[in-house]
Amino acid sequence: MSNPVKQAAEAARSRGSEVMGTAKTVKSDSVAVANDFLHTPFMRAALPFINGGISGMVATTVVQPVDMIKVRIQLAGEGKAGGPKPTPLSVTREILASGKALDLYTGLSAGLLRQAVYTTARLGFFDTFMGSLTSRAKAKGQSVGFAERATAGLAAGGLAAMIGNPADLALIRMQSDGLKPIAERKNYKSVIDALVSIAKSEGVGALWAGATPTVVRAMALNFGQLAFFSEAKAQLKARTTWSTNAQTLSASAIAGFFASFFSLPFDFVKTRLQKQQKGPDGKLPYAGTADCFAKVAKQEGLMRFYRGFGTYYVRIAPHA
């Protein structure tokens, strides 16, 4: 009896080994197929855009309340030089007192769409431009310099901002809607509802309102964010023995500061232009970018352009 049992056990072990071997082969084949797919020319070109979009959408979900507060601070005291100075805490209290905690996430759908479009294009273009510049520099036995990084950042930011302006406009309209008298509020249900409503009532061209400061803001933001991030990380790698994570976080903090400094005045004007709508007389408060800069400087003072710098930095740094 022992021999048949022993033979059966060995046969079972043999079959088990064959099954395990087959499973490992299938698994390795699956991994190989996945790797081959990721390394196809299409996916190699698409991955920077996909990674950029996903990272931007995750960052937006985290900082959306900060963005909401930033917009309300920029719109406070419009046309007045004095008056109470809003703080992040006072604005947060005001929002919570008038509604509920989720009101801080007003416009999240527009923010996510904006990142899906804008950040996907921005980081994708930047990575593509940097790839071309790096290849060209290597062929000449050189390395990519700060000027090339800055040029790539400016071009990527400007192109992406023009594409993403409608979603950006919808975001500002949704976030500023709560400042209007209840009878005048649009109460947008989603970003699609906002875009359709604006296009119907103001025309499709209105979706690109504030496009000029949006593009300039994006170029300034990218100049500070991407160029300074790359440069800071390169310098930290060469001059410190910090871990990769420490270098990345430090470079992000540095890049976030310069991005905020260069872009906040244009972000301020962009918010004012995208929020504005025609009054009872059929006229807009601001005729354009230059008019908005001039009126704010005259009526509210030059430092108004940098109101809420700390809040803006907190919003920008996680994106960096």
Side-chain angles (χ1 to χ4, degrees), residues 27-189:
K27 186 177 180 180
S28 62
D29 289 345
S30 299
V31 172
V33 169
N35 285 334
D36 289 342
F37 175 70
L38 290 175
H39 286 86
T40 58
F42 171 77
M43 285 304 297
R44 286 174 68 89
L47 275 175
F49 292 83
I50 295 171
N51 288 337
I54 293 173
S55 65
M57 291 172 78
V58 171
T60 289
T61 303
V62 174
V63 302
Q64 181 66 18
V66 180
D67 187 66
M68 176 70 168
I69 294 166
K70 183 269 298 183
V71 169
R72 292 292 180 87
I73 289 175
Q74 290 178 332
L75 295 176
E78 189 170 1
K80 301 175 184 177
K85 184 178 179 182
T87 65
L89 189 58
S90 66
V91 171
T92 302
R93 278 202 303 261
E94 184 182 339
I95 293 173
L96 294 177
S98 62
K100 50 189 178 181
L102 288 179
D103 284 352
L104 289 168
Y105 276 91
T106 298
L108 179 60
S109 61
L112 292 174
L113 177 62
R114 178 182 178 276
Q115 291 303 326
V117 176
Y118 170 68
T119 304
T120 298
R122 178 174 70 104
L123 296 184
F125 281 136
F126 182 74
D127 194 80
T128 302
F129 294 157
M130 284 299 295
S132 299
L133 290 171
T134 301
S135 298
R136 190 180 305 171
K138 282 184 178 179
K140 296 179 180 179
Q142 301 172 346
S143 60
V144 177
F146 180 77
E148 287 85 357
R149 290 193 186 98
T151 302
L154 290 170
L159 287 170
M162 184 60 72
I163 296 170
N165 197 79
D168 205 356
L169 176 80
L171 174 62
I172 298 299
R173 291 290 181 89
M174 294 175 78
Q175 289 178 326
S176 63
D177 196 48
L179 294 173
K180 298 177 182 177
I182 295 176
E184 298 178 16
R185 293 179 187 176
K186 301 291 185 180
N187 296 317
Y188 302 113
K189 298 179 181 66

Side-chain angles (χ1 to χ4, degrees), residues 22 33 116 133 137 155 190 192 198 217 250 262 264 273 295 315:
T22 303
V33 169
L133 290 171
S190 67
I192 301 301
I198 294 167
R217 167 196 175 274
S250 299
F262 289 124
L264 183 53
L273 290 178
K295 284 183 177 177
R315 177 192 178 280

